[in-house]
Amino acid sequence: MKFIIKLFPEITIKSSPVRKQLVKQLRRNIRTVCRPLDESIEVTGKWDMLDVQTSSDEPSDVAAIADRLSCIPGIHQILEVAEYPLGTMDEMLEIVRPIFAEQLEGKTFCVRAKRGGHHNFTSTDLERYIGGELNQTTGAAGVSLKNPDVKVEIEVKNNRWFLITRRHPGLGGYPMGTQEPVLSLISGGFDSTVSSFLMMKRGLNTHFCFFNLGGHAHELAVKEVAYYLWDRYGASHRVRFVTIPFEGVVEEILTKIDNSYMGVILKRMMLRAASKTAELMHIDAIVTGESIAQVSSQTLPNLAVIDKVTDRLVFRPLATMDKQEIISVARQIGTEEFAKSIPEYCAVISKNPTTRAKPEKVEKEEGFFDFSVLEAAIENRRNVSVADIIADDLSREQVEVTNELAQDDIIIDIRHPTEEEIKPLKLDGREIVVMPFYQLRTKFPELDKSRHYLLYCDKGVMSQLHAMHLRDEGHSNVGVYQPDEIDNRKNKYK
């Protein structure tokens, strides 16, 4: 199958050297992301579009590749196309008619043609001929040039022509790796996941910094969503997940800081720790999920006081978005269900928060704070690759992983519904429960506690993270099913 990749429009208006650099990086990113699905995938093209050629025409393989392409920053649109040598318009009609005959039954349609090169016909000639013949020889309801039910799209390039069979919207933005890296503060809630996504979409290699306020279960939950974001939208590049233990910092604030200033000072401590971490990682910018006036610590006076503790650039991509807009984006990108199940630990810090923090008052309150506690938290941070995120937890807790099934084992397919629909898991004689990862926390406790369950996902990573999380919550009857093919694929593309 052949795909034509249309570039994000802002790429097309760049100067020639910049454009070449962006397109070169996009080609590399496409290969990196799609090669685990098709080792022989080819990506070519330099200027206004890219061609992606896969080795399989199987519908499930094509759907999987299209799904991955739709999540790569820098792509405006993905066209599934069939390519043919250019012949006569009669020969073109004989190819188009059987492909679209069923779709046109009882529907209005139009034919749109684009042409490049020297030919003895115009685009309009082609549209009129193909459209007229389809109208007469199929069960179409007629031609509608303004609002057709079906579009038949043809592109002619020199001595080849392409029939567009399907269009997919792209993510937009710039190719990952063409902008500088950033460190995004992530708590797992709506705001931090959406702000991280927006930076990734803009082409910034986004590393994650997590302040642990709620113990191991909190950390596992945030790792799950961080891995999902990276795997879905940023897998072309390696990123880090930094965990900073902040329970001691919170305790110090709760026992020594005036109640009304707790929230502001907590944010200042987080920004100090993030700035030091970013410095050690050679990163110049920090990302937060703050939105102006959403909560008391996010008023302009408070944000100004918070920012005084760092000389790093602080990005707030959600600054002018309201909560419903943020939730809508979370729903679109697949992080809504994660966010719903993660408590807002920061929200319990202050009961009577100030909305106009005074710098002199903040400095006075911080005089009571033992900064060695903050230094110890920074010193005890853990920094792991998101690609290898489970290794950090396996050192503390073992999860059963098997490629063999016992007689009574029940498989739970936890993949996203889109992935499960593209390639359903089929195991002869085995009971398989389809339960997307975001439903596990609410639905797993309802299952028969006397049975043994094995979680399954495409790469074996999300299943291990969720199994650890369930075990951490007291469920001992859960493990991971990891077929040999997953092990082989992971080793092959390491």
Side-chain angles (χ1 to χ4, degrees), residues 404-454:
E404 298 181 356
L405 300 175
Q407 185 66 35
D408 296 329
D409 284 341
I410 297 177
I411 307 298
I412 301 180
D413 188 340
I414 70 166
R415 292 176 296 169
H416 191 279
T418 301
E419 295 178 88
E420 192 275 330
E421 183 180 351
I422 290 172
K423 286 192 175 182
L425 178 64
K426 296 179 180 179
L427 296 170
D428 292 339
R430 289 290 176 179
E431 183 178 353
I432 298 175
V433 176
V434 176
M435 187 183 296
F437 55 83
Y438 50 76
Q439 294 179 352
L440 278 174
R441 290 191 189 91
T442 56
K443 290 194 172 183
F444 189 87
E446 299 173 2
L447 298 177
D448 185 348
K449 293 179 174 55
S450 67
R451 304 296 299 274
H452 187 254
Y453 302 92
L454 295 174

Side-chain angles (χ1 to χ4, degrees), residues 22-40:
L22 294 173
V23 173
K24 182 180 179 180
Q25 184 65 61
L26 181 56
R27 288 200 307 267
R28 186 182 298 123
N29 293 352
I30 291 172
R31 292 190 194 101
T32 301
V33 171
C34 295
R35 194 167 284 152
L37 299 176
D38 183 356
E39 186 177 13
S40 60

Side-chain angles (χ1 to χ4, degrees), residues 84-121:
Y84 308 95
L86 183 62
T88 67
M89 286 193 284
D90 279 332
E91 291 171 335
M92 297 171 73
L93 173 64
E94 292 308 309
I95 292 172
V96 173
R97 182 162 41 205
I99 293 175
F100 279 89
E102 186 176 339
Q103 294 183 50
L104 295 178
E105 191 70 32
K107 303 287 184 62
T108 60
F109 77 101
C110 73
V111 177
R112 298 297 187 201
K114 294 182 180 180
R115 189 180 57 83
H118 300 285
H119 307 95
N120 60 1
F121 59 87

Side-chain angles (χ1 to χ4, degrees), residues 353-390:
T354 180
T355 58
R356 301 187 64 84
K358 305 295 184 183
E360 59 274 13
K361 175 65 172 176
V362 171
E363 292 174 5
K364 178 181 177 182
E365 288 298 319
E366 287 187 345
F368 302 116
F369 186 90
D370 182 358
F371 276 86
S372 67
V373 176
L374 177 65
E375 292 167 4
I378 298 171
E379 183 68 25
N380 291 326
R381 71 191 182 282
R382 293 193 307 281
N383 186 326
V384 300
S385 168
V386 172
D388 304 318
I389 204 166
I390 61 172

Side-chain angles (χ1 to χ4, degrees), residues 97 109 128-140 142-143:
R97 182 162 41 205
F109 77 101
R128 286 175 175 170
Y129 179 76
I130 299 292
E133 291 295 320
L134 290 177
N135 194 34
Q136 294 179 29
T137 60
T138 69
V143 174

Side-chain angles (χ1 to χ4, degrees), residues 288-305:
T288 81
E290 291 159 321
S291 176
I292 295 171
Q294 187 180 107
V295 296
S296 61
S297 64
Q298 296 173 19
T299 61
L300 287 181
N302 285 357
L303 292 175
V305 169

